[in-house]
Amino acid sequence: MTATGPGSPSGSPPSGAPGSPPGSPPGSPVPDPARGGRVELPTGAVPPASRYVNDDLLPVPVGRRRWTTYNFAALWVGMAHNIPSWLLASGLVALGMDWVQAVVTIALANVIVLAPMLLTGHAGPKYGIPFPVLARSSFGLRGANLPALIRAGVACAWFGIQTWIGGQGVFVLLGKVFGGWAEASRIGGQPWTLWLCFVLFWALELAIIHRGMETLRRFENWAAPFVIVGALVLLVWITVKAGGVGPLLDQPSTLGWGADFWPVFFPALMGMIAFWSTLSLNIPDFTRFAAGQRAQVWGQSLGLPTTMTLFALLSVFVTSGSQAVYGAPVWDPVALAAKTDNVFGLLFALVTVLVATVSVNLAANVVSPAYDLANLAPKLIDFRTGALITGVVGVLIMPWKLTATPELYIFTWLGVVGGLLGTVAGILIADYWIIRRTVLELADLYRPEGRYWYTGGWNLRAVAVFLAGGILAVGGSHSAPGKGPFPEDGLIPFLRPLADYGWAVGFAAALVLYVLLMAPVRGGRSR
């Protein structure tokens, strides 16, 4: 990634110039109406030798904030149309929902998660900063490593999941074309041909991201429509196999709309929200390149809820059709595509799997931890090094276990992740919108002893809120007997009733607690 060091905008007010916000220290950058209220860091405002600075963490200069509404919409189309999001929708069908219940659940979840996405995304176009730098405002310059590393850890796990699924898809489809792949000699319990597909897929992803964010933007622009075409082709194929559209819509719900439905609906809704709760934190990593607030707001509003809902429709229709054709729902699109004997169809499915998985994995699961790890040690880790570390960690976590069943994937993995990340989102939004009123002292985000230094670089109030909100959100996590890693009564039994609402509980608790604790020190450092 090319350097994103600050530049001095022409026409910027000099240090301490009239028009600075009341109470701003000398040298404070001010929003320039001619630039849509976007702020640029004055030259020399941050010592280049500061341990909290490198080129990838500094604000993107206003002149390089060029992403348009289409770029953000295409980004979301590329990220939404992927195998794990397909597994979300088809997994709900496998859990007993009919197509209406599954689509309504997913549509509602994505409308809900869009709100924090837009709120945290606001800081990107205005200040040009990534997520870990924004987190310094609430957690402190050192404390920001806490949410950054949590987000990075989740992203590394997702990277591994996506890469394993992509490599597995290549293995299955090429095995159908050439034959005999599954019978290859085994290493670590898996055919060596599967490991080869996995490694090649991993290397392809890192090769693309190594070229930087501009290459990623161009890739997403053409990948998005290609993946849509691939999903539509799969729908047409299963419709023909099923004998028409009717069988796709006739598969009944085994849950109904009564007492059996709601215990599945609420944890599933939280799981759907948790699926993109990662991006609701680190969306500034992308919106920092936006040409303005309109680009990120319209791009995300048009891209996220609409494409996820449409893709959910495709997924549940195809899964319902597979139930009509094969007698049981096939919720994995790779396994379903492998049922065809048409070589052209298999190769087309192979390319679609490659493009879809690379598209989402690079944008959602490499960009964020690359910045987060750079924030941990800016002088040692840059964007490219962080991306490489992400790739290495992603292959060490045995990601194939997390998608073994719908219960484990939706309720355990997504539920716990959603609860923790919802807590962080509540803190970020409370700090930026309620405590700061969207006004940040940009230079102080990079220098110790400024207003975001708090106590030794840590805002202890934010840490306390995170611990309290996290315990409330995930403390009641439980599993059905034999279905997961948690006790049947919950980790903390009296919190068990809250477990099905983990993201909402963590978000709301953190937002309220943070405002209550920080109101006495609004705008200043911790006392």
Side-chain angles (χ1 to χ4, degrees):
M1 184 174 177
T2 56
T4 55
S8 179
S10 59
S12 296
S15 298
S20 296
S24 297
S28 296
V30 295
D32 185 349
R35 298 174 182 268
R38 291 175 292 173
V39 177
E40 190 145 25
L41 192 64
T43 301
V46 176
S50 171
R51 61 173 298 186
Y52 301 100
V53 173
N54 69 21
D55 287 343
D56 296 308
L57 296 177
L58 284 169
V60 174
V62 170
R64 291 188 52 221
R65 301 178 202 175
R66 298 192 295 261
W67 286 32
T68 65
T69 297
Y70 176 79
N71 294 140
F72 284 103
L75 177 74
W76 275 112
V77 171
M79 289 197 295
H81 294 170
N82 62 86
I83 296 173
S85 64
W86 182 287
L87 297 180
L88 284 180
S90 57
L92 295 181
V93 174
L95 288 171
M97 292 188 183
D98 62 20
W99 72 272
V100 174
Q101 292 170 331
V103 171
V104 167
T105 302
I106 290 172
L108 178 59
N110 283 278
V111 170
I112 292 172
V113 82
L114 178 64
M117 200 85 67
L118 297 178
L119 292 174
T120 54
H122 183 277
K126 184 171 182 178
Y127 296 102
I129 55 177
F131 156 66
V133 175
L134 175 62
R136 293 175 180 180
S137 169
S138 50
F139 283 86
L141 269 69
R142 289 175 173 166
N145 286 315
L146 173 62
L149 289 180
I150 290 172
R151 174 64 184 96
V154 171
C156 288
W158 271 120
F159 177 83
I161 290 171
Q162 291 274 12
T163 304
W164 177 257
I165 289 173
Q168 198 173 40
V170 173
F171 168 77
V172 169
L173 295 175
L174 284 181
K176 286 284 292 186
V177 174
F178 298 111
W181 283 50
E183 287 73 42
S185 58
R186 293 180 173 265
I187 299 175
Q190 302 290 348
W192 71 264
T193 45
L194 175 55
W195 292 115
L196 176 63
C197 292
F198 178 63
V199 171
L200 291 177
F201 196 86
W202 175 86
L204 172 65
E205 292 175 316
L206 293 188
I208 295 175
I209 199 64
H210 183 74
R211 297 183 62 86
M213 289 292 289
E214 187 62 21
T215 299
L216 175 62
R217 181 181 70 86
R218 292 196 296 267
F219 179 81
E220 296 289 347
N221 284 347
W222 70 264
F226 183 88
V227 174
I228 294 174
V229 171
L232 290 173
V233 168
L234 190 58
L235 175 63
V236 171
W237 173 69
I238 198 66
T239 301
V240 172
K241 293 278 287 185
V245 176
L248 275 63
L249 307 179
D250 290 343
Q251 302 304 316
S253 167
T254 61
L255 302 174
W257 289 94
D260 292 334
F261 173 72
W262 301 111
V264 175
F265 169 76
F266 284 111
L269 179 68
M270 293 300 108
M272 301 305 105
I273 292 172
F275 188 74
W276 289 124
S277 66
T278 51
L279 266 293
S280 70
L281 294 185
N282 75 282
I283 196 64
D285 294 344
F286 301 95
T287 61
R288 67 193 300 229
F289 297 96
Q293 294 296 344
R294 181 184 297 272
Q296 74 101 2
V297 170
W298 280 105
Q300 294 201 82
S301 299
L302 293 173
L304 171 58
T306 55
T307 54
M308 277 295 289
T309 301
L310 291 174
F311 201 57
L313 278 169
L314 288 174
S315 174
V316 296
F317 286 170
V318 171
T319 304
S320 294
S322 71
Q323 186 168 344
V325 173
Y326 300 108
V330 182
W331 72 303
D332 184 345
V334 173
L336 184 60
K339 290 183 176 293
T340 181
D341 293 321
N342 183 284
V343 174
F344 174 79
L346 286 168
L347 291 176
F348 181 79
L350 174 64
V351 175
T352 302
V353 166
L354 281 170
V355 173
T357 309
V358 170
S359 176
V360 67
N361 218 14
L362 297 186
N365 302 319
V366 177
V367 173
S368 171
Y371 284 128
D372 295 338
L373 292 167
N375 187 71
L376 180 64
K379 296 304 180 186
L380 299 176
I381 303 175
D382 61 9
F383 181 86
R384 289 186 174 90
T385 305
L388 180 60
I389 294 172
T390 300
V392 172
V393 174
V395 302
L396 298 177
I397 63 166
M398 297 183 292
W400 50 88
K401 294 185 179 294
L402 292 177
T403 55
T405 68
E407 292 85 2
L408 186 63
Y409 179 50
I410 293 176
F411 295 158
T412 302
W413 166 243
L414 290 179
V416 172
V417 165
L420 294 177
L421 297 184
T423 303
V424 175
I427 293 172
L428 291 184
I429 291 172
D431 182 81
Y432 182 70
W433 284 95
I434 300 175
I435 300 299
R436 312 289 174 190
R437 308 293 173 88
T438 76
V439 176
L440 299 176
E441 174 52 47
L442 194 53
D444 278 358
L445 292 171
Y446 297 93
R447 57 193 182 197
E449 306 305 329
R451 69 175 61 201
Y452 309 118
W453 186 245
Y454 297 103
T455 303
W458 288 79
N459 183 0
L460 300 181
R461 290 174 172 83
V463 174
V465 170
F466 172 76
L467 292 175
I471 290 172
L472 290 174
V474 305
S477 297
H478 58 276
S479 301
K483 295 290 187 179
F486 301 121
E488 184 177 355
D489 293 333
L491 292 172
I492 303 176
F494 76 89
L495 293 178
R496 190 180 190 277
L498 300 180
D500 290 345
Y501 313 93
W503 182 88
V505 169
F507 180 86
L511 189 145
V512 172
L513 288 174
Y514 188 85
V515 171
L516 291 176
L517 289 179
M518 288 297 293
V521 292
R522 184 191 302 265
R525 71 178 65 184
S526 179
R527 292 177 172 81

